[in-house]
Amino acid sequence: MTATGDLEGKVAIVTGAANGIGRAIATRFVAEGAKVVVADIDTGGQGVAAKLGGRAAFFTTDVSDPAQAHALVDFTIEHFGGLHVLCNNAGVSGGLRRFLDDDLRDFERVVAVDLYGVMACSRSAARHMVDHGGGAIVNIASGAGVTPGIGMLPYRAAKAGVVQFTRCLAVEVGEHGIRANCIAPANISTDINAAFDKTTVTRLQPLPHQGRTRDIAEAALYLASDRAAHVTGLVLTVDGGMSLGTPPRR
Ligand SMILES: NC(=O)c1ccc[n+]([C@@H]2O[C@H](COP(=O)([O-])OP(=O)(O)OC[C@H]3O[C@@H](n4cnc5c(N)ncnc54)[C@H](O)[C@@H]3O)[C@@H](O)[C@H]2O)c1
C-alpha cells in the first residue's frame, strides 16, 4: 500500500492492537502519519508498539473497565498531546455453542468487552473531542451483528449492539464535529476465528478468498481520515460479499 499521509498530525488510539485486525490498523495508521497508542489487555502490544517506532506507544488496558478506558485517554493526551481518532477494535468471541446448548457463561464477558468496552472508551474519548475540535470514532462491529446466524448468540447480540450504539452515537455527537462509524467484517484470518473451517466459509462468499487484516485496516483508515469528513453513522461491510448470500454457481 502506498502511504498518502492521510493521518498526518492526528493522534489515534487503537484498542486490541496487540494482535490481528487491530495490529494491522495501528500499523496502517502509523504508516499514514498518525501517532498511535496500541491499547490491549495483552502486554504483547508492547512489542507491537516498539516495532512501530517512536510514533507508537503501548498502554495496558482492559476496555471493559471504564476507569482503564479513562486512563487510556488521559495517557494518550499526555503522551502525544491530543486525541483525534478512536478505533474500538478489541473484542472476544466467546464459545461457538448453539443457543439451546449454551449455558450463557460467556455472555457477561463478551458483552462487557465487545459492547460496554466500546461505550466506555467512546465516552471518555468523545468528552475530550467535544472540547478539542471533534474527531472520528471507528468501531469494529461484525457481520455477525448485522446478519442473523446460528451459534455464538452472545457475540452476535453484543455486535448488533455495537452497530446500533454507533448509529445513535453519530446522532448524539455530530453537533460537536465528532463522526462515528463502524465496520462489519467477516471471515478475516485471525486468532478469533481460528476454529472455523476457512475453505467452507470462503465458499459462501461471492469473492472466493479469505479476507486479510489489511482489508479492514483500509476501511478503518478511510473512516478515520478527513476523506470521510461527511460520513457518519455508516455500517461499512467488509466481508467478501458474504452478507449478500451464497453465489448460485457453488
Ligand atoms: N477476524 C474476523 O473474521 C472478524 C470478523 C468480524 C469481527 N471481528 C472483530 O474484529 C475485532 C478484532 O478481532 P481479531 O479478529 O483481530 O481477533 P484477535 O483475537 O486476533 O484480536 C483481538 C484483540 O483484542 C484484545 N482484547 C481482548 N479483550 C480485551 C480487553 N478486555 N481489553 C483490551 N483488549 C482486549 C486481544 O488481546 C486481542 O489483541 C474484534 O472486535 C472482532 O470481534 C473479527
Side-chain angles (χ1 to χ4, degrees):
M1 298 296 164
T2 316
T4 51
D6 275 1
L7 297 182
E8 207 63 59
K10 308 266 192 202
V11 177
I13 291 171
V14 183
T15 69
N19 302 283
I21 291 170
R23 182 170 53 199
I25 293 171
T27 303
R28 192 78 174 104
F29 280 11
V30 167
E32 292 295 335
K35 292 173 179 154
V36 174
V37 173
V38 170
D40 207 298
I41 200 168
D42 175 356
T43 52
Q46 188 83 59
V48 172
K51 230 172 140 188
L52 290 173
R55 280 197 278 129
F58 175 68
F59 193 74
T60 310
T61 317
D62 179 346
V63 296
S64 69
D65 175 357
Q68 293 189 41
H70 192 72
L72 167 64
V73 169
D74 280 351
F75 168 80
T76 304
I77 294 161
E78 202 173 303
H79 195 79
F80 285 133
L83 175 61
H84 309 96
V85 175
L86 167 67
C87 180
N88 283 305
N89 163 81
V92 291
S93 62
L96 299 177
R97 289 174 293 279
R98 293 288 299 272
F99 185 64
L100 296 181
D101 304 321
D102 197 335
D103 57 13
L104 300 180
R105 67 174 180 268
D106 293 334
F107 181 77
E108 281 183 20
R109 186 65 188 154
V110 169
V111 172
V113 176
D114 293 3
L115 179 56
Y116 189 60
V118 170
M119 296 171 80
C121 291
S122 297
R123 190 185 56 177
S124 292
R127 282 178 174 169
H128 172 80
M129 290 171 177
V130 161
D131 296 325
H132 296 84
I137 296 176
V138 181
N139 296 328
I140 308 301
S142 172
V146 179
T147 309
I150 57 171
M152 303 171 67
L153 265 61
Y155 178 76
R156 292 179 188 281
K159 289 297 188 177
V162 172
V163 169
Q164 182 67 338
F165 168 69
T166 305
R167 289 154 53 93
C168 295
L169 181 64
V171 176
E172 283 257 0
V173 297
E175 65 179 308
H176 301 290
I178 302 172
R179 299 182 296 104
N181 294 287
C182 67
I183 298 170
N187 194 19
I188 308 296
S189 185
T190 66
D191 289 350
I192 212 168
N193 60 14
F196 294 148
D197 173 355
K198 306 286 187 330
T199 313
T200 307
V201 173
T202 305
R203 283 169 64 86
L204 300 173
Q205 295 174 189
L207 297 178
H209 59 257
Q210 173 93 47
R212 304 156 301 184
T213 55
R214 68 179 135 123
D215 294 322
I216 307 304
E218 285 302 309
L221 171 61
Y222 166 68
L223 292 174
S225 77
D226 292 343
R227 287 181 194 263
H230 207 47
V231 178
T232 197
L234 178 71
V235 184
L236 178 54
T237 301
V238 184
D239 68 348
M242 185 181 282
S243 52
L244 302 173
T246 306
R249 67 177 186 275
R250 287 158 199 262

